[in-house]
Amino acid sequence: MTADENSTASPFEGTEEYYADHRPDYGEPVVQYLRDRFQLDGSARVLDLGCGTGQIAVPLAAHVGTVVGMDPNEEMLRQARRKARDAGRENVEWVVGSDADLRESLHEDLGTFWLTTMGRSFHWMDQEATLDRLYRTTEPGGGVATVNDTEWLTKGVEDWQADVYRVADEYLDDLPPRTGPVEEYDDPWDELLEDHGFSDVEVRKFESEREWTVEGVVGYVFSLSFCSPERFGDDREAFEADLRTRLNELRDERGEGSEDGRNEGTFGQTADIDVTSGRK
Ligand SMILES: C[S@@+](CC[C@H](N)C(=O)[O-])C[C@H]1O[C@@H](n2cnc3c(N)ncnc32)[C@H](O)[C@@H]1O
């Protein structure tokens, strides 16, 4: 699988608050699946690598002994702390660091883990070297899990998403192409996990029905590394105004009695979530 967001030194700079408030969690079925598959209980120590604002770390903390949330972006961690505090979770430690830090300076300090999760983050890492390191830091019987959902601005299937893309494309020269869903990757992560020693590798797919308000759509777009507010520069306010206008027009065009069975005034999406995991 390849990166779906452009790589820069601090790719998420400026997105953090939007990320915290508008990037969805993966939902209870995914958390339940991880609990069952890895028999999570109060004795488990979990590393959430590339934790961002805690979309996995915070919900999982309710079911394990300790979570270490690790991310190179300090503002992401600040927002994650806020979300953990709001959720009443006190068993999460936050560590500034990347996959390279885990391999180089930090692994002895951090010790071993029963489970390592990587939500929407594995594609940012040196994947092979990270899996080798994680194999060593995983306790026997435990494992690793990558969790991802489809980034919808470039890979979504809904017409309203294509409209949002068109507005962003008017402002940004370097927007990644809108490809729609990617069916196959050259380097599937299940094979990568097996190649790096993990066994009992499993790919599980989940669907989640999501409803986006206008506010949510704007926040989601600004949470993407390739659409961060900074990328729009002086045009940021003009873009946001155009996007809101277009979304309100779309709502008006649909009018009363829209037949898609979804709430009036919101934009519906079926999100595909993949969990690829393996055991040591
Ligand atoms: C798309 S966010 C995912 C956040 C959260 N895990 C989730 O599931 O929504 C990707 C995160 O990976 C972090 N990241 C980027 N490069 C990284 C690296 N080399 N090692 C670890 N994390 C990295 C970013 O700072 C960002 O917070």
Side-chain angles (χ1 to χ4, degrees):
M1 228 178 267
T2 54
D4 62 354
E5 295 174 341
N6 296 345
S7 184
T8 62
S10 300
F12 288 89
E13 195 177 329
T15 69
E16 299 90 346
E17 199 169 341
Y18 294 101
Y19 204 104
D21 292 342
H22 297 288
R23 280 285 187 118
D25 293 349
Y26 300 96
E28 186 51 32
V30 171
V31 172
Q32 187 62 47
Y33 168 72
L34 290 172
R35 290 176 65 189
D36 294 343
R37 175 144 163 79
F38 292 100
Q39 298 103 36
L40 298 180
D41 60 23
S43 69
R45 192 161 179 263
V46 174
L47 172 65
D48 186 24
L49 183 56
C51 64
T53 57
Q55 276 73 2
I56 293 182
V58 174
L60 217 51
H63 307 289
V64 302
T66 312
V67 177
V68 175
M70 184 166 170
D71 200 286
N73 179 319
E74 292 189 43
E75 180 57 23
M76 282 284 192
L77 294 180
R78 208 176 66 79
Q79 296 288 338
R81 257 189 217 100
R82 167 174 70 90
K83 294 194 77 167
R85 199 172 46 241
D86 291 350
R89 302 279 159 249
E90 294 179 353
N91 56 337
V92 193
E93 296 164 24
W94 305 103
V95 175
V96 182
S98 66
D99 64 319
D101 297 314
L102 178 70
R103 293 195 303 275
E104 289 151 22
S105 52
L106 283 176
H107 71 275
E108 282 181 9
D109 294 346
L110 289 175
T112 59
F113 295 93
W114 177 250
L115 174 66
T116 297
T117 55
M118 292 168 281
R120 306 180 183 120
S121 60
F122 188 48
H123 58 279
W124 289 106
M125 304 177 197
D126 180 338
Q127 297 174 354
E128 304 215 17
T130 298
L131 288 179
D132 287 340
R133 167 58 63 199
L134 290 178
Y135 192 80
R136 287 156 66 185
T137 57
T138 300
E139 293 156 12
V144 297
T146 67
V147 185
N148 284 281
D149 59 4
T150 312
E151 172 274 292
W152 63 242
L153 188 65
T154 66
K155 298 192 179 69
V157 296
E158 304 286 343
D159 289 346
W160 64 265
Q161 295 167 342
D163 275 296
V164 176
Y165 181 91
R166 273 192 285 277
V167 180
D169 196 34
E170 283 168 21
Y171 285 86
L172 298 179
D173 294 334
D174 55 355
L175 200 58
R178 187 169 155 83
T179 59
V182 176
E183 301 301 339
E184 280 187 23
Y185 289 91
D186 295 338
D187 51 352
W189 290 352
D190 51 344
E191 291 176 18
L192 209 54
L193 259 60
E194 281 169 354
D195 290 348
H196 290 267
F198 292 94
S199 57
D200 184 24
V201 171
E202 187 169 288
V203 180
R204 273 293 297 272
K205 294 184 181 298
F206 298 83
E207 280 188 353
S208 176
E209 296 298 322
R210 293 177 179 162
E211 297 286 337
W212 297 85
T213 61
V214 170
E215 211 55 40
V217 171
V218 172
Y220 180 86
V221 170
F222 282 143
S223 82
L224 294 165
S225 57
F226 54 78
C227 279
S228 67
E230 274 79 354
R231 294 237 176 180
F232 290 91
D234 293 343
D235 287 337
R236 180 228 151 115
E237 282 182 20
F239 162 70
E240 185 174 338
D242 276 357
L243 180 55
R244 286 178 187 278
T245 301
R246 183 65 196 127
L247 290 167
N248 286 324
E249 283 169 2
L250 281 173
R251 288 201 308 196
D252 293 346
E253 284 165 19
R254 287 192 316 196
E256 288 295 319
S258 94
E259 291 176 2
D260 61 6
R262 294 169 172 181
N263 293 343
E264 208 64 49
T266 59
F267 299 91
Q269 173 208 14
T270 304
D272 294 318
I273 300 168
D274 289 0
V275 183
T276 303
S277 65
R279 212 180 290 282
K280 176 167 172 180

